Amino acid sequence: MALLLTGKVITEFGIRSPAHKFFNVFVKQLHDIHNIAERVHEGKVHQGDWHGIGSVKNWTFTVDGKVETCKESIEAIDEKNMTATYNLYDGEMSKNYKIFKWTLQVIDKEGVGGVVKWTFDYEKLNEEIPPPYRYLDYISALTKDVDAHLLKGN
């Protein structure tokens, strides 16, 4: 029965900014994301620090025109392969998902830019809950905002 509750959603976006700079925003400049991305309203450290594995942050953001909150912790960072995994819980996430993880992978393209791959791994609380497709528009806007910010030279 648990197999019907688990799933994965993957989406990819091309970016024009340098891949390593894009990745660094999410692993070394997360404290600035609310100044970069329009749909992220606030982030606060709840426990630990901004960029440490296991540190907990509280986030307020907008998805589908609705303000949501959640807690997030970084589960893993692989700087060599530009991959990071985040665990999201509490707030709106906990109303629908037992497990909700985002994995960011940034792939450098020779020359300029790269590819950003977001993977959502989740386990729904019950079969009536839809897959988290509603977060695709949010993650698309977040990716575009960060890319545009980096292209401005910030």
Side-chain angles (χ1 to χ4, degrees):
M1 183 128 153
L3 284 177
L4 298 175
L5 300 178
T6 61
K8 184 179 289 208
V9 175
I10 301 169
T11 188
E12 293 183 359
F13 303 96
I15 57 170
R16 294 178 298 150
S17 59
H20 71 281
K21 287 186 177 184
F22 188 96
F23 181 71
N24 281 341
V25 167
F26 291 92
V27 297
K28 296 182 178 172
Q29 297 172 303
L30 203 51
H31 58 280
D32 282 334
I33 199 75
H34 67 279
N35 295 318
I36 297 170
E38 181 181 333
R39 295 183 189 192
V40 179
H41 306 297
E42 184 178 39
K44 291 182 183 176
V45 173
H46 178 73
Q47 177 183 334
D49 60 37
W50 276 103
H51 306 105
I53 303 292
S55 293
V56 178
K57 280 80 68 188
N58 292 314
W59 292 102
T60 304
F61 52 95
T62 299
V63 176
D64 290 341
K66 181 181 171 201
V67 175
E68 296 190 9
T69 62
C70 75
K71 288 184 179 167
E72 166 267 313
S73 63
I74 300 174
E75 195 170 279
I77 298 173
D78 179 346
E79 291 196 36
K80 180 181 177 193
N81 293 308
M82 290 193 283
T83 303
T85 301
Y86 305 84
N87 185 23
L88 287 83
Y89 55 96
D90 282 356
E92 302 302 314
M93 296 291 174
S94 293
K95 291 179 182 177
N96 295 311
Y97 303 99
K98 181 178 177 181
I99 297 169
F100 197 96
K101 295 182 183 185
W102 286 0
T103 300
L104 164 68
Q105 180 183 17
V106 185
I107 302 157
D108 193 17
K109 280 190 153 181
E110 297 273 333
V112 70
V115 174
V116 175
K117 180 178 178 181
W118 291 97
T119 303
F120 307 161
D121 288 292
Y122 62 91
E123 182 178 339
K124 302 183 294 185
L125 291 175
N126 62 58
E127 289 184 36
E128 286 75 42
I129 295 169
Y133 298 133
R134 59 191 298 268
Y135 292 101
L136 291 174
D137 187 46
Y138 168 80
I139 211 69
S140 172
L142 179 67
T143 301
K144 288 176 186 174
D145 287 350
V146 171
D147 192 35
H149 173 77
L150 293 171
L151 288 171
K152 286 191 288 187
N154 295 320

